[in-house]
Amino acid sequence: EWKGTIKQYEDHYSKCPFMMVPCPALGCMTSVPRNQLSQHQESVCVGREIACPVCNENIRAADQDKHLRETCPKVQLVCPNQCGAVDLLRDQVRFNSVL
């Protein structure tokens, strides 16, 4: 039970470290206690920016699997034209496909 003025309650409520707050990151639907928001955003938030472990491009954590599967230019592939080339980088396969 609150003991104090409504103004004191409102002031406390607006900055209470245990108040559940939504993560503001795009695509993140998580709510965490206010005092854990920074840690969430830095370590587990799906909307945080990370460096791709292959090409070092900045991507959203939630997009990492799709990036590696579809667009990362440094992922190694086998030539889709069955020319015998192996261990090509995705950007080389695109070039090889045009030839």
Side-chain angles (χ1 to χ4, degrees):
E1 184 175 309
W2 180 260
K3 295 194 191 284
T5 67
I6 291 176
K7 174 73 170 129
Q8 289 170 324
Y9 174 77
E10 289 171 348
D11 288 345
H12 172 77
Y13 189 80
S14 69
K15 59 189 172 208
C16 176
F18 299 102
M19 175 76 175
M20 295 298 284
V21 294
C23 177
L26 181 66
C28 184
M29 306 301 285
T30 302
S31 289
V32 295
R34 181 176 277 119
N35 65 351
Q36 295 178 15
L37 182 59
S38 293
Q39 179 184 6
H40 165 79
Q41 290 176 309
E42 293 170 8
S43 60
V44 297
C45 178
V46 297
R48 75 188 185 285
E49 283 210 353
I50 61 170
C52 171
V54 179
C55 71
N56 213 31
E57 180 181 329
N58 283 337
I59 57 174
R60 283 184 349 118
D63 298 335
Q64 182 177 359
D65 289 342
K66 182 177 181 181
H67 171 76
L68 291 170
R69 218 177 31 253
E70 299 176 11
T71 61
C72 180
K74 303 300 179 194
V75 167
Q76 290 188 331
L77 302 172
V78 174
C79 179
N81 297 325
Q82 300 177 353
C83 70
V86 293
D87 295 330
L88 296 171
L89 300 180
R90 180 174 277 124
D91 55 359
Q92 291 173 319
V93 170
R94 287 185 185 135
F95 176 76
N96 196 27
S97 298
V98 173
L99 296 177

